[in-house]
Amino acid sequence: MVVHLIDGTYELFRHFYGLRRFTHVKGYASRGVDRPYGAVVGVLQTVLQIIEQEKGSAYLGVATDHVIESFRNRLWPDYKTGAGIEPALLAQFHPLEEALAAMGVAVWPMIELEADDALASAAHLASKDKKVAKVAIWTPDKDLAQCVRGTRVVTVCRARTLRREAARSPSRLSRSREAGASVLGKSEIDGRRKTIRDAAGIREKFGVSPQLIPDLLALVGDAADGYPGIPGIGGRTAATLLNRYGAIEKFPSNVLGKQRDLALLFKNLATLRTDAPLFKKVETLRWRGPTPAFAAWAKRMEAPLLLERCQKAADQLRLRNS
């Protein structure tokens, strides 16, 4: 089986701003009034698409940030917060969680930890099950690259997210897509529209193995998360140091000097937690169809076609398993 783990917070942002590209959507001016559940519907459609592409049972879970702040804000005062998030977007965070649950999808709303921690924990738990052939983490977030293991635990990034990367390095993107098709197979994930990175793909992109991604981020920083890294150390220098010495803890004392403690703090920020008790058995992630509450949600969201697709997917699932 393939277990699909989805970054719900990222998907919500993606669909919210994706709708802004249109001048008019079902009576709402996208550049003026946002659809109250527009981004939620988009995320549900994405999740349903993953369910529909499975030939057998679909195993999946969605991680969300119930609140943006986490324990990391206590470690570093400039760590990212919810400040600046548009109210129309923020108002869809909790409805997304409720709608996913109504659709019958396992959802993990995180409060003290982040959605990324939930994805890392879920990947860790799923990979311990011998019946799981692959774990696919659907996110472009470089933090999650640390979770990749061989060809069994991989990251999946949609083509639209990769346009800028393609402009920088078209040949590398092409190689990643070819590798992705062989890692999971086109019947499971379409490698023509998505880039799938295994451990070799992570090393090719970042210059280090997945296990050293937290060290790399500690040295170069992560502007999205709010920590700057070590002054004077860029991506190439960081990769060279890590490949020469290993983890930051193994660096000779003269390499980072007085910046060593700061680097270790940033590494702690970048290291995802894998001990969140999200589930005991992978079987709990199997999608069994929408709950009775989903019809009311579809009506509230003005998404009758989504309800039809969901019911059709559930009917096909029952036929396959009968």
Side-chain angles (χ1 to χ4, degrees):
M1 72 178 73
V2 177
V3 174
H4 299 275
L5 305 175
I6 303 156
D7 186 342
T9 299
Y10 163 74
E11 289 292 337
L12 194 67
F13 273 78
R14 182 172 76 90
H15 285 285
F16 180 81
Y17 288 105
L19 285 172
R20 289 278 178 90
R21 292 178 301 166
F22 299 95
T23 58
H24 195 270
V25 181
K26 285 191 176 181
Y28 293 96
S30 64
R31 297 186 185 277
V33 180
D34 296 294
R35 296 175 60 190
Y37 298 104
V40 174
V41 172
V43 178
L44 297 181
Q45 289 174 334
T46 293
V47 172
L48 188 54
Q49 183 179 24
I50 294 174
I51 292 172
E52 291 170 334
Q53 75 184 8
E54 287 295 315
K55 291 184 176 180
S57 297
Y59 294 82
L60 72 164
V62 181
T64 63
D65 292 292
H66 192 70
V67 295
I68 299 298
E69 290 76 14
S70 70
F71 75 95
R72 291 180 176 87
N73 294 90
R74 297 192 296 271
L75 300 177
W76 181 250
D78 292 328
Y79 198 75
K80 66 181 178 182
T81 68
I85 297 180
E86 295 191 48
L89 171 56
L90 194 60
Q92 298 187 57
F93 272 49
H94 297 173
L96 171 63
E97 297 164 355
E98 296 175 23
L100 283 166
M103 200 169 83
V105 176
V107 56
W108 305 302
M110 306 310 290
I111 296 178
E112 180 67 7
L113 299 177
E114 297 179 50
D116 286 355
D117 296 305
L119 293 171
S121 296
H124 177 71
L125 290 169
S127 64
K128 292 196 296 183
D129 191 323
K130 294 181 179 179
K131 296 190 296 294
V132 175
K134 302 287 180 184
V135 178
I137 307 173
W138 293 71
T139 180
D141 196 330
K142 52 185 174 292
D143 294 3
L144 272 302
Q146 65 190 269
C147 301
V148 171
R149 294 293 181 270
T151 59
R152 189 163 178 250
V153 181
V154 301
T155 60
V156 184
C157 190
R158 297 179 183 280
R160 287 180 180 177
T161 309
L162 293 160
R163 284 176 178 171
R164 291 182 180 178
E165 181 178 326
R168 293 195 301 266
S169 182
S171 61
R172 184 173 68 183
L173 180 58
S174 177
R175 290 195 299 272
S176 295
R177 283 177 172 165
E178 292 171 1
S182 65
V183 169
L184 285 181
K186 291 183 180 180
S187 63
E188 294 162 341
I189 295 180
D190 189 346
R192 294 171 299 175
R193 291 177 295 170
K194 305 169 184 70
T195 291
I196 305 160
R197 288 195 174 93
D198 58 8
I202 296 300
R203 173 172 281 280
E204 181 180 19
K205 177 174 174 57
F206 296 103
V208 299
S209 63
Q211 291 85 345
L212 290 174
I213 290 295
D215 300 83
L216 180 73
L217 294 176
L219 295 175
V220 303
D222 189 335
D225 285 342
Y227 57 93
I230 305 304
I233 297 183
R236 290 186 179 180
T237 300
T240 298
L241 291 171
L242 293 169
N243 287 317
R244 179 182 302 172
Y245 300 117
I248 290 173
E249 290 85 349
K250 298 179 181 179
F251 281 17
S253 58
N254 64 321
V255 173
L256 296 176
K258 296 180 179 180
Q259 302 291 330
R260 183 177 186 276
D261 288 343
L262 186 61
L264 290 174
L265 170 59
F266 292 157
K267 179 178 178 178
N268 190 20
L269 296 177
T271 301
L272 298 179
R273 280 27 181 184
T274 59
D275 56 355
L278 303 178
F279 56 88
K280 292 184 178 180
K281 295 182 179 180
V282 173
E283 184 62 23
T284 61
L285 305 185
R286 182 161 67 91
W287 188 70
R288 294 171 170 81
T291 72
F294 190 63
W297 265 103
K299 183 177 181 180
R300 184 184 308 175
M301 297 183 296
E302 300 180 7
L305 293 181
L306 183 62
L307 176 60
E308 291 178 16
R309 281 181 59 194
C310 200
Q311 292 173 333
K312 182 179 179 180
D315 291 340
Q316 292 176 339
L317 179 64
R318 282 190 287 269
L319 287 174
R320 288 195 298 264
N321 293 334
S322 61

